[in-house]
Amino acid sequence: MGWLTWRDAMDQALYGKGGFYRRGERPAAHFRTSVHASQRYAAAFAALLAEVDAALGHPARLDLVDMGAGCGRLLADILAAAPPHLAARLAPVAVEVAPRPPGVPEPIEWRTEPPAAITGLVIANEWLDNVPLDVVELTPDGPRTVLVDPAAGSERPGGRPDPADRAWLAEWWPLREPGDRAEVGRRRDEMWAGILGRLRRGLAIAVDYGHDRTARPPHGTLTGYRDGHGVPPVPDGSCDITAHVALDSCAAAGTRAGATATLRTTQRAALRALGLSGARPPIELAHRDPRAYVRELCAAGEDAELIDPAGLGGFGWLVQAVDVPLPRDLAALRPE
């Protein structure tokens, strides 16, 4: 097969014929996601959706788009959590390269590309980290695009990055010492800008592990996942391959594409603002209403996992609005 750039190798391993996602692998089988940790995650998005609906004036059709929808669980749970008057107007769309799995609720449209025009809410939950990218390493001869053997995962330096990648690196991920690596997020910026370009009015939210220009990981973040374990990122189609996201760069691309308001925060801060505290119910409730106490105790445990700063709570949230205000609960956080 020969040596490939990481971008081409990831594209082939994840989305090519027989690739990891193309063949219908489900993320929950390989790593823990917020969607599968608790339905309270979807309930938080249902609350945001209601705010977007109000900001849009309760349109007759309200779009709800899930990028990289996996098995469709997030959309199904949001539909279940939405009040009837809202669910009746929803147009839910799952965007996913894999075939529609059995059991997806009938109202959910399944497609490989997002709608051309969206009015409502777009969710990209752990989507951008799977957008293929190139890896560049600073060598004594200058920056070189890293090539990889898809069968073995071994690497060697290739040619110089193209001018567009060099410009992106200079602005967002400068390399300073030989051996430093960068994961070029230009394609992710373009994909995110494409979403904002389709959003006529409403809100787009990207949720992913990320980093800022002030604290880029010097050796990158490429990682593989298989059967619940981290594995070497060998791009042979046998495992998921992911890399953290330069969310600050994506935010700038979204603004250029038409976003009128931006918020960057953590999942912990966002979900706490939306009412997921993780606080245990008062012990008095156990004596007064034992069943209610057990329900609230279970909810507290699920909230705690979702907002754990060392786990799922460490995800970054990029929230961008087009011609609507940021949701009230989130706007109280620190917008950019």
Side-chain angles (χ1 to χ4, degrees):
M1 185 180 299
W3 296 88
L4 299 176
T5 65
W6 265 106
R7 172 172 166 173
D8 288 343
M10 285 181 68
D11 201 36
Q12 178 176 280
L14 298 180
Y15 306 112
K17 184 178 180 181
F20 185 83
Y21 283 111
R22 181 73 67 178
R23 65 175 179 261
E25 292 283 350
R26 299 299 173 220
H30 299 278
F31 49 88
R32 186 75 163 164
T33 71
S34 299
V35 175
H36 294 87
S38 173
Q39 292 180 328
R40 291 175 64 78
Y41 187 65
F45 278 107
L48 287 174
L49 183 64
E51 285 204 53
V52 173
D53 180 51
L56 292 170
H58 309 289
R61 172 192 168 103
L62 183 65
D63 294 316
L64 173 61
V65 180
D66 184 9
M67 299 297 303
C71 64
R73 171 77 175 272
L74 179 58
L75 284 179
D77 286 349
I78 293 174
L79 284 173
H85 70 87
L86 181 55
R89 293 182 287 109
L90 278 181
V93 175
V95 181
E96 177 59 62
V97 298
R100 183 188 186 104
V104 174
E106 186 61 33
I108 297 175
E109 180 184 358
W110 201 268
R111 53 191 294 170
T112 58
E113 295 290 336
I118 302 168
T119 300
L121 175 64
V122 181
I123 303 170
N125 185 71
E126 297 187 62
W127 171 62
L128 287 170
D129 67 319
N130 286 129
V131 173
L133 43 62
D134 277 326
V135 176
V136 172
E137 181 171 329
L138 185 60
T139 74
D141 295 326
R144 298 285 181 174
T145 300
V146 177
L147 303 181
V148 61
D149 177 352
S154 53
E155 298 177 332
R156 67 176 177 85
R160 296 188 182 279
D162 66 32
D165 282 352
R166 291 202 301 269
W168 188 92
L169 290 167
E171 182 172 4
W172 295 107
W173 198 327
L175 297 173
R176 307 191 186 283
E177 301 290 338
D180 284 357
R181 283 190 166 200
E183 294 152 352
V184 184
R186 184 167 62 87
R187 189 182 183 196
R188 293 170 172 189
D189 293 354
E190 292 167 354
M191 298 287 279
W192 183 246
I195 296 301
L196 270 295
R198 295 169 188 253
L199 187 60
R200 299 296 178 259
R201 294 184 69 211
L203 200 68
I205 303 177
V207 183
D208 252 309
Y209 285 124
H211 42 64
D212 291 323
R213 190 180 187 281
T214 56
R216 303 286 189 217
H219 303 297
T221 61
L222 273 175
T223 307
Y225 288 98
R226 184 191 303 118
D227 301 328
H229 302 285
V231 296
V234 178
D236 59 0
S238 69
C239 64
D240 181 33
I241 297 176
T242 178
H244 294 187
V245 182
L247 287 171
D248 49 355
S249 157
C250 290
T255 298
R256 291 192 298 270
T260 53
T262 294
L263 168 73
R264 284 185 48 233
T265 188
T266 64
Q267 176 156 299
R268 176 177 174 83
L271 292 184
R272 283 170 63 89
L274 293 168
L276 278 67
S277 69
R280 295 169 62 94
I283 193 64
E284 293 79 11
L285 182 61
H287 305 293
R288 188 172 69 253
D289 189 341
R291 291 184 178 179
Y293 177 79
V294 170
R295 286 196 303 272
E296 292 191 22
L297 189 63
C298 289
E302 293 173 5
D303 289 359
E305 181 179 6
L306 289 169
I307 64 176
D308 178 4
L312 297 175
F315 276 108
W317 276 41
L318 168 58
V319 184
Q320 295 197 286
V322 175
D323 291 335
V324 297
L326 291 170
R328 179 184 63 255
D329 292 330
L330 297 184
L333 302 174
R334 290 170 49 189
E336 288 193 330

